[in-house]
Amino acid sequence: MTSPRGTGTSLKNFPLFGPITAIVFAFLYVPLLFVIGYSFNSNRIVTVWKGFTFDWYVEVMGNDDIQRAVINSLRIAAISTILSVILATGLAIGLLRMVRVGRTAAWSLIMAPLVIPEIVFAIGTLALFVQIRFTLGVDSITLAHTAFCIPFALLPIRARLRSVDLSIYEAAADLGANEWTIFRRITLPLLAPGIVAGALLAFIISLDDFIVSYFLAGAGGTTLPVYIFGMIRNAITPGVNALSTLLLLASVVIVTISYVIAIRKR
Amino acid sequence: MPQEAAPALHVRGVSKSFPTPEGGEVHALDNVSLSVADGSFMVLLGPSGCGKTTLLRCIAGLESPDAGEILLRGERIDGIPVWKRRVNTVFQSYALFPHMTVAQNIAFGLQMDKLPKEEVTHKVQAALSLVRLSDLGARRPNQLSGGQQQRVALARALAKQPEVLLLDEPLSALDLKLRRGMQLELKRLQQETHITFILVTHDQDEAMSMGDEVAVFDSGRIVQVGPPREVYLRPRTRFVADFIGEANILDISVAAGTASAAGIGPIPMDMWSGDAPPLTDAQHFAAVRPEDVTVSPDASGRFTVLDATFIGGDLHAVVDLGTHTLTSRQPAADAAGMCSGDRCEVSFRPGSLRVVEA
């Protein structure tokens, strides 16, 4: 195959192309293979292989604390995804209609969480919640996650929205559609791929967040990453490997589903 | 005659300004008035940025005028939101909905009118066959050629049976050959449907070949309205004379009842068009079409031929008048063998010079 840019020069001719590729992939995937492999290790000492077992999976799935943490994580991720996607969609449409000066300012303010150190955001949010006496727990984490998921959800939605010719909305209005109908029948279907991508991004960002969740967890707000951190504080147990493998499996399934949806849409 | 019917659309004293990025203001429309006869084909003609599209958008409801009123069949519509107006637009970019099929695109507007399902289906079919796309209802817009997309945009707007159909430079994205075909097609559609068409274009040939009437725009104002032939034969201003067809503009000064053109000299009275405004003792401009100018070779002539080109059976000549030039178009037989640098004399067809406003 020729390269899409039509230069005709194959990337494979680049010196050390093969070794560099191998090193990069090894760096990315060898740790994962370790986690997956040792999750089936029957030895209690993590790094010494003894034999094959499903025991750790049974143990992890039967653990009430882990179940609670998983439920917390999923609930937080689901609600903050829905909220942040709704807000991001509104923001994207709002930004489109703003005058240039206001738009730049608003865009910078909304995108700031991407560059603010997360630890600062976590401390600030904690201070705020304490100040207004908001009980720490699942709800406080959900609110904070919603806030920092907005820019992630907004990026693909806005990219999609900007690719749509503005006269399409005018045509819809011209043909007799009011604002709400335009939103429902034109804007939303056209944005759907962007919204799906944004939701997926927000969901995964929320699901694996540690710092903010750790600061705001309070009593009963333990999420899965926070729980795993607690587990490895003393030693890495085979249970952690099993749990991590399950988490990996879940991510792969989610991404695969969204990929299939995206292909079928085309 | 459609011109004698009651007006379908009446625009009265409409003005519209836009802020510029530099903080200033552009007067896109400056006290514009226009009356469009029912069932006629009106063309708004002018160079880009002259306000013609802004007027179209004000009629559609996509812009709201700063002043003035717009009446559709005698009723004011300038306060009504765009989706409630019985006018529809064909957009320059077609603006088809990419996530819907051709049939769904056409059905959209009918569904907005809350028509029963069978009627929608029936009208979509009728609209498709009107634009000769009956077989393509199931296609997506991105599977169609530019010309086909254009027809879908037309069908979508026509299916609503609007009081007035607005067309914003609908043919500008098509190549020349296709454009000519669509001009005839548009004319046919207008005559078949008896819907009032208002078309915006910067292409004078398009305006001349399609319009029952042409409204010529110049910097936010309508400078002349009339049937194309009338506007061509009797341009009111220098701008119209120059923009519609070609024209030579002569500087005329009048002294003691005798008119003289700069660089040419006295103009006999019979050169002036009979229905032209009278000459007063002041500076004037006169327009004369190249086909009304005759250049004859004359070794003792006062002028020099700058350029002589034979195109088909015609000679196109450019003559040096000192301060400016004069262009002629005449049968080649009259001046065979003329080439640049030759001496010559010029004359005008009697009745061909018109005084025009600056």
Side-chain angles (χ1 to χ4, degrees), chain A residues 34-47:
Chain A
F34 262 103
V35 168
I36 295 168
Y38 281 104
S39 70
F40 298 106
N41 182 8
S42 62
N43 197 337
R44 191 160 274 286
I45 303 159
V46 176
T47 50

Side-chain angles (χ1 to χ4, degrees), chain A residues 100 164-165 167-179 181-182 184-187 189-190, chain B residues 57 60 62 82-83 87-89 91 93 95-100 105 108-109 111-112 156-157 160:
Chain A
R100 193 168 299 159
V164 177
D165 179 4
S167 63
I168 282 178
Y169 308 113
E170 293 188 337
D174 185 74
L175 290 166
N178 59 27
E179 296 269 347
T181 311
I182 294 173
R184 202 169 47 83
R185 296 228 16 215
I186 308 293
T187 315
L190 286 175
Chain B
R57 289 174 63 83
L62 298 167
V82 48
W83 61 84
V87 296
N88 288 110
T89 310
F91 290 83
S93 60
L96 300 178
F97 307 130
H99 59 299
M100 297 184 192
N105 262 277
F108 184 85
Q111 289 159 353
M112 294 302 117
R156 186 174 69 174
K160 299 258 301 181

Side-chain angles (χ1 to χ4, degrees), chain A residues 8-266:
Chain A
T9 323
S10 171
L11 205 56
K12 285 179 186 161
N13 297 335
F14 195 78
L16 297 179
F17 174 79
I20 291 173
T21 309
I23 291 168
V24 168
F25 277 107
F27 197 76
L28 282 173
Y29 289 104
V30 167
L32 294 183
L33 292 176
F34 262 103
V35 168
I36 295 168
Y38 281 104
S39 70
F40 298 106
N41 182 8
S42 62
N43 197 337
R44 191 160 274 286
I45 303 159
V46 176
T47 50
V48 181
W49 184 262
K50 194 168 141 197
F52 187 88
T53 179
F54 279 117
D55 286 357
W56 308 116
Y57 286 91
V58 175
E59 187 188 298
V60 161
M61 287 191 208
N63 184 324
D64 288 347
D65 289 338
I66 292 177
Q67 280 178 11
R68 255 196 303 278
V70 168
I71 289 167
N72 279 348
S73 274
L74 291 178
R75 198 183 133 190
I76 291 165
I79 296 175
S80 54
T81 296
I82 292 168
L83 291 178
S84 61
V85 163
I86 291 171
L87 289 169
T89 306
L91 278 167
I93 295 169
L95 281 168
L96 200 68
R97 298 190 174 184
M98 283 177 87
V99 293
R100 193 168 299 159
V101 181
R103 185 164 53 199
T104 312
W107 176 250
S108 320
L109 285 173
I110 296 161
M111 284 294 135
L114 291 180
V115 290
I116 292 174
E118 204 185 336
I119 187 95
V120 176
F121 179 76
I123 292 168
T125 315
L126 176 64
L128 174 72
F129 281 151
V130 170
Q131 186 72 37
I132 63 170
R133 297 181 205 289
F134 193 94
T135 317
L136 297 182
V138 172
D139 293 342
S140 62
I141 299 176
T142 307
L143 282 178
H145 280 201
T146 302
F148 75 67
C149 281
I150 288 173
F152 293 98
L154 184 57
L155 281 171
I157 295 175
R158 182 166 152 87
R160 178 79 192 169
L161 194 63
R162 291 174 84 171
S163 71
V164 177
D165 179 4
L166 285 179
S167 63
I168 282 178
Y169 308 113
E170 293 188 337
D174 185 74
L175 290 166
N178 59 27
E179 296 269 347
W180 171 242
T181 311
I182 294 173
F183 178 74
R184 202 169 47 83
R185 296 228 16 215
I186 308 293
T187 315
L188 219 48
L190 286 175
L191 285 190
I195 290 174
V196 170
L200 212 72
L201 213 55
F203 190 84
I204 286 175
I205 296 279
S206 164
L207 198 63
D208 78 1
D209 172 73
F210 172 71
I211 301 176
V212 170
S213 306
Y214 187 74
F215 273 65
L216 300 178
T222 305
T223 63
L224 198 54
V226 173
Y227 186 85
I228 292 174
F229 179 72
M231 276 171 88
I232 61 165
R233 220 184 260 178
N234 307 316
I236 296 178
T237 67
V240 171
N241 285 335
L243 197 54
S244 304
T245 306
L246 288 173
L247 205 56
L248 184 66
L249 188 69
S251 317
V252 170
V253 167
I254 291 171
V255 173
T256 309
I257 288 171
S258 72
Y259 186 67
V260 170
I261 290 172
I263 284 181
R264 281 173 127 198
K265 278 244 159 182
R266 254 175 255 148

Side-chain angles (χ1 to χ4, degrees), chain B residues 10-15 32 34 65 67-71 76-78:
Chain B
H10 202 90
V11 174
R12 256 205 303 254
V14 166
S15 295
V32 166
L34 181 69
E69 29 187 68
I70 299 169
L71 296 100
R76 277 191 75 162
I77 57 164
D78 43 286

